[in-house]
Amino acid sequence: MTTSNSTVAKLDKASQNTYDALIVGAGFAGMYMLYQLRSLGFTAKVIEAGDGVGGTWYWNRYPGARCDVWSMEYSYQFSEELQQEWVWSQKYAPQPEILKYANHVADRFDLRKDIIFNTKVLSTKYIEETKIWTIKTDDNQVFNSQFCIMATGCLSTPNKPKFKGIDDFKGPWYHTGQWPHEGVDFTGKRVGIIGTGSSAIQSIPVIAEQAEQLFVFQRTANYTIPAHNKDLDLDFINEIKMDYQGLRDRAKLNRGGTAALRLNEVNAVDVSEEDRIQQYEKRWEEGGVPFMGSFQDLLLNPDSNKTAADFVKSKIDEIVNDPKVAELLKPKNIIGCKRLCVDTNYYQTFNQSHVNLIDVSETKIDSITEKGIKVGEYEYEVDAIVFATGFDAMTGALKNIDIIGTNNQTLNNKWEDGPRMYLGLLAKGFPNLFTITGPGSPSVLSNMLPSIEQHVDWISQCIQYLNDNNLTQIEPTIEAEEEWISHVNEVAGKSLRSTCDSWYVGANIAGKPRVFMPYIGGVPAYREKCEEIVSKGYEGFNLT
Ligand code: FAD
Ligand code: N01
C-alpha cells in the first residue's frame, strides 16, 4: 500500500526496504501501530525479534503466568467488532489465552504480511540531510523510513544477574521472561527459584504442584493480594458488552486506566480502625490490585500506608502455619512501593513440607555451582534453576539498540543520567523517533492496553497531521522536554512509590541511574496534557 500524498518525498519508496514508518516490536503496541498506519494509507513494516506476535505474552510462558488487570479491560478497544466477538474465559486470563488473542488480532486484521519475524534491530541512525532513519538488523538488512517507532516494550529485556559459576551448573536453567515454548516438566525434580516478584509469585504455587522439592530464594519479601480468579459467566460478559464503551470511558477517568480500581476517595487515617479493616477485608475478598484503591492516601501518607501493610501482614499470619516462615514472608517496606503482586495460593504454598523459603536478604547468593545454589557456606542441591529476576525495565530494550540522532548523539549518551523524553513519546535530538509507552508516560503504572492505544492514536494523528500540512519532521523543544521531566520528577517525589529500591527507579540493575521512570500523575491528567498539546498545534514541538 502506498500513500499518494505522503510527505516522504525524499524517500524512493519503490526501492527495497523503504517505508513511511518502521515499527520495532510486535507486541500489542507494534501490532496496533501497524494497523493504524496502514488504515491511514501509510506504508509500514514491523520488525520483531521473536517468531510470533504478542510480545510479553509470547516470551513469558512460565507456569501460572496471567494478567492482573481484568481481561475485559486488558484488551484492545479500537475495534468494536473485535471486543464484541472475543470471549474471555476468566477474570484474569492465563498467558496462553492472551497469546491466542494476540494471534487472533494478527489474523483478523491481516497484520502478519507486514511483520518481519526472527529479526532483531541492532541500530538506527538519523540521516540529517535526507531526514530519514536508517535501520540495521542482525541479519544485515537495512531499512529506511521517515518515521521510526519503538514498540519495544517496557518489560522485554530480561535481567539475568551475573551469578558467579552459572556456566558450571549441570542442570537446565530458565528465565521466566524467556520461557521455553514447549514448557518445562518439573515432576520429581528439585527446583530452585530465585526472586519473589510478580513472576515468581505467580509461578511458585504451580511449580510446587510438580516439584519434589522447591527452594525459594527470597531477597526482598513482596506484598501480594489474592487474585480470586474465576471463570466469567456469559451473562456477566454480555452485560459488559451491552455498554463496553461505558466501561472504557470510566477507565479513562481513573488514574490507573482501569475501571476495576474504584478508588475510595477517603483517607485511611480519617476513618475508624473498624471501618478501615472492613474496607480492607472487602477489597481482600474482591482480590487483586484494586486493594490499593481502598483509600486515596495509601501512597501519600506513611501512616495510612502502614495500616494497609499491617492488614496484609495479619493475613500472612492467618494463612502461614509456621510463624518463622510467616515472619520471613512479611515485607518490610511500603505497600505498593514495589509493584503490588497478585497471586493464587502464594502464601498457602509455604505450608507444604516440600517448599522451603531461603532468606538471602543478608547472606546473599554466593554462586551457582555444578550442583545447585550456594548461599554463604551452604549449598542447596537442585536439578533445575528458575531465574524470576525481572527485567531491565523501561529503558533496557531501547538502550540495547544503538540509536543515533542529530549531531551524532546517541540515545545512550543522552540518557546517561536517566531517560529524557517529552511525554514519553519523543526526545529532543531524535526527530520522528516515537516511543510507545516510553519513560515519562503512565505506561507501567496503568492498564497498559489502553495506554498503548492512546499513544498509538496520538502518534498516528501526529503523522497524519505532518503529512496533511506538508511537514517532514517533529521534534520536542529542549524547554518542553525539561519542563516535562521536572513535572514527572515533582509528582514522583510526592508519592511513597519513589522511596524504595524498585525497578521503577532502576534499582534492580547495577549502575542504572536512579530515576523514577514512569509518570505517576495519572492517566486522566496525562491524556488531557497530550490532547491540549495537539489542540495548540503541537505546542512544545518544532515542526519543520
Ligand atoms: P512487549 O509486549 O514487551 O513487546 C515488545 C516486543 O518488541 C517484543 O516482542 C520484543 O521481542 C520486541 N523487541 C524488543 N527489542 C527489539 C529489537 N531490538 N528488535 C526486534 N524486536 C524487538 N500490563 C498490564 O497492564 N496488565 C497486566 O496484567 C500485565 N501483566 C504482565 C505480566 C508479565 C509477565 C509481564 C512481563 C508484563 C505484564 N504487563 C502487564 C506489562 C506488559 O508488558 C504490557 O501490558 C504489554 O503487553 C506491553 O506490550 P508492548 O507491545 O508495549 O511490549
Ligand atoms: O520481576 P521483579 P518480575 N539475588 O523485578 C529478585 C510485570 N509482571 O519478573 O526485590 C536474589 O519484580 C528480586 O529481589 P529484590 C509487573 O509489572 C506482572 O517478577 O531486588 N534475588 C525480586 O524479588 C512486574 O512488576 C505480572 O531484592 C534477586 C525478583 O528477583 C514486572 O513485570 C506477572 C537477584 C525480581 O522481581 C516484573 O516482575 C509478572 C539476586 N541477584 C510480571 N536479582 C502480573 O501478575 C533479582 N532478584 C500481571
Side-chain angles (χ1 to χ4, degrees):
M1 200 186 298
T2 51
T3 37
S4 54
N5 60 343
S6 167
T7 56
V8 196
K10 295 175 197 72
L11 268 178
D12 175 9
K13 287 199 279 178
S15 78
Q16 223 193 348
N17 287 353
T18 299
Y19 303 95
D20 291 330
L22 242 296
I23 302 161
V24 189
F28 284 129
M31 288 166 70
Y32 180 44
M33 193 73 245
L34 173 64
Y35 169 83
Q36 272 292 37
L37 287 177
R38 270 197 345 207
S39 309
L40 291 171
F42 294 100
T43 59
K45 279 274 178 222
V46 177
I47 303 178
E48 165 58 51
D51 69 4
V53 297
T56 288
W57 307 101
Y58 168 91
W59 295 105
N60 291 262
R61 301 176 190 229
Y62 60 84
R66 59 178 69 249
C67 58
D68 69 356
V69 169
W70 289 4
S71 307
M72 301 273 314
E73 293 201 69
Y74 187 69
S75 47
Y76 287 121
Q77 57 190 291
F78 70 85
S79 159
E80 182 60 18
E81 294 78 19
L82 171 68
Q83 67 176 4
Q84 286 296 334
E85 79 198 8
W86 186 262
V87 181
W88 291 106
S89 70
Q90 296 187 326
K91 179 174 160 190
Y92 302 113
Q95 171 272 331
E97 189 173 334
I98 306 175
L99 185 58
K100 195 171 159 197
Y101 172 73
N103 277 292
H104 170 75
V105 173
D107 293 334
R108 194 188 192 291
F109 298 103
D110 196 16
L111 300 179
R112 272 178 234 279
K113 67 176 184 208
D114 287 317
I115 306 178
I116 302 162
F117 292 107
N118 291 313
T119 307
K120 203 168 188 171
V121 170
L122 298 182
S123 69
T124 173
K125 184 173 166 45
Y126 193 61
I127 313 297
E128 291 183 58
E129 298 72 45
T130 52
K131 299 191 176 0
I132 296 300
W133 283 96
T134 293
I135 292 125
K136 292 189 179 161
T137 63
D138 61 350
D139 57 357
N140 297 319
Q141 291 193 73
V142 180
F143 296 84
N144 295 304
S145 64
Q146 183 184 5
F147 302 100
C148 184
I149 302 165
M150 293 297 170
T152 44
C154 296
L155 295 158
S156 55
T157 305
N159 168 35
K160 292 183 210 150
K162 292 180 183 63
F163 288 108
K164 204 167 58 182
I166 179 79
D167 295 333
D168 300 335
F169 184 59
K170 290 282 183 242
W173 60 266
Y174 313 95
H175 190 286
T176 49
Q178 282 180 334
W179 203 259
H181 289 198
E182 63 281 12
V184 181
D185 183 5
F186 291 114
T187 308
K189 298 272 193 302
R190 297 165 302 170
V191 182
I193 179 162
I194 300 175
T196 47
S198 299
S199 302
I201 281 175
Q202 285 188 328
S203 57
I204 284 166
V206 187
I207 296 176
E209 285 171 17
Q210 290 185 346
E212 186 185 290
Q213 286 285 319
L214 180 60
F215 298 93
V216 177
F217 295 85
Q218 173 186 274
R219 189 166 67 182
T220 310
N222 257 313
Y223 294 92
T224 175
I225 308 296
H228 297 308
N229 195 21
K230 58 181 181 195
D231 290 344
L232 293 178
D233 68 64
L234 268 179
D235 289 345
F236 173 80
I237 292 175
N238 289 337
E239 202 182 305
I240 290 198
K241 286 186 176 175
M242 272 166 64
D243 182 25
Y244 224 140
Q245 194 52 47
L247 181 83
R248 302 299 196 175
D249 289 344
R250 287 197 296 286
K252 282 182 193 141
L253 298 174
N254 183 280
R255 293 175 67 80
T258 147
L261 193 72
R262 294 172 297 103
L263 182 69
N264 179 18
E265 287 172 359
V266 174
N267 293 332
V269 286
D270 290 345
V271 300
S272 69
E273 184 168 356
E274 198 188 346
D275 288 351
R276 243 188 342 252
I277 299 292
Q278 202 182 15
Q279 173 73 277
Y280 290 140
E281 283 288 1
K282 198 175 99 202
R283 297 268 174 161
W284 180 271
E285 276 319 306
E286 284 170 12
V289 176
F291 182 83
M292 286 310 287
S294 298
F295 295 101
Q296 65 179 3
D297 59 343
L298 292 185
L299 285 168
L300 296 172
N301 180 345
D303 293 336
S304 301
N305 190 281
K306 187 170 180 309
T307 64
D310 286 347
F311 176 82
V312 176
K313 289 177 194 173
S314 74
K315 287 291 179 192
I316 298 174
D317 278 332
E318 265 175 39
I319 299 168
V320 180
N321 299 337
D322 182 336
K324 278 199 204 126
V325 176
E327 213 47 44
L328 261 186
L329 286 168
K330 288 182 195 166
K332 295 191 174 52
N333 48 24
I334 298 279
I335 183 168
C337 192
K338 285 184 180 238
R339 169 71 148 72
L340 190 69
C341 302
V342 178
D343 71 280
T344 299
N345 293 331
Y346 179 66
Y347 293 127
Q348 289 84 343
T349 301
F350 292 91
N351 291 334
Q352 301 176 39
S353 57
H354 70 295
V355 179
N356 312 280
L357 183 62
I358 320 295
D359 177 17
V360 293
S361 60
E362 282 175 16
T363 309
K364 307 274 187 244
I365 294 173
D366 169 76
S367 56
I368 307 290
T369 65
E370 209 175 289
K371 291 185 187 157
I373 299 167
K374 200 165 161 228
V375 180
E377 288 310 300
Y378 197 88
E379 187 180 22
Y380 295 87
E381 291 191 12
V382 293
D383 302 309
I385 300 175
V386 175
F387 293 96
T389 44
F391 302 89
D392 183 352
M394 304 215 67
T395 54
L398 293 167
K399 291 179 105 178
N400 280 345
I401 302 172
D402 190 16
I403 302 174
I404 306 167
T406 52
N407 300 319
N408 270 328
Q409 186 188 22
T410 66
L411 193 75
N412 279 335
N413 220 304
K414 178 174 167 110
W415 286 12
E416 221 168 34
D417 298 324
R420 307 189 74 73
M421 296 193 90
Y422 187 32
L423 301 165
L425 279 162
L426 287 130
K428 166 77 184 156
F430 301 83
N432 293 354
L433 182 99
F434 296 92
T435 298
I436 303 174
T437 65
S441 72
S443 58
V444 290
L445 296 178
S446 66
N447 175 5
M448 290 281 287
L449 254 283
S451 287
I452 284 170
E453 285 184 309
Q454 185 246 341
H455 264 192
V456 170
D457 291 343
W458 195 96
I459 294 167
S460 327
Q461 194 186 350
C462 174
I463 291 177
Q464 182 73 57
Y465 179 88
L466 296 176
N467 194 49
D468 291 348
N469 291 282
N470 283 326
L471 296 160
T472 49
Q473 183 179 285
I474 179 165
E475 183 185 10
T477 65
I478 194 68
E479 293 77 18
E481 186 176 278
E482 296 282 334
E483 205 180 303
W484 182 249
I485 293 166
S486 302
H487 175 59
V488 170
N489 291 336
E490 188 200 329
V491 286
K494 288 182 189 154
S495 167
L496 297 174
R497 236 173 179 156
S498 59
T499 58
C500 68
D501 289 340
S502 67
W503 57 257
Y504 293 129
V505 297
N508 63 331
I509 304 294
K512 195 163 170 172
R514 196 183 173 108
V515 176
F516 192 85
M517 294 180 284
Y519 176 59
I520 205 169
V523 165
Y526 179 80
R527 292 182 83 100
E528 201 179 307
K529 175 79 181 168
C530 289
E531 282 160 21
E532 182 192 311
I533 284 166
V534 175
S535 71
K536 291 184 176 165
Y538 291 88
E539 189 182 55
F541 290 97
N542 279 327
L543 308 184
T544 40

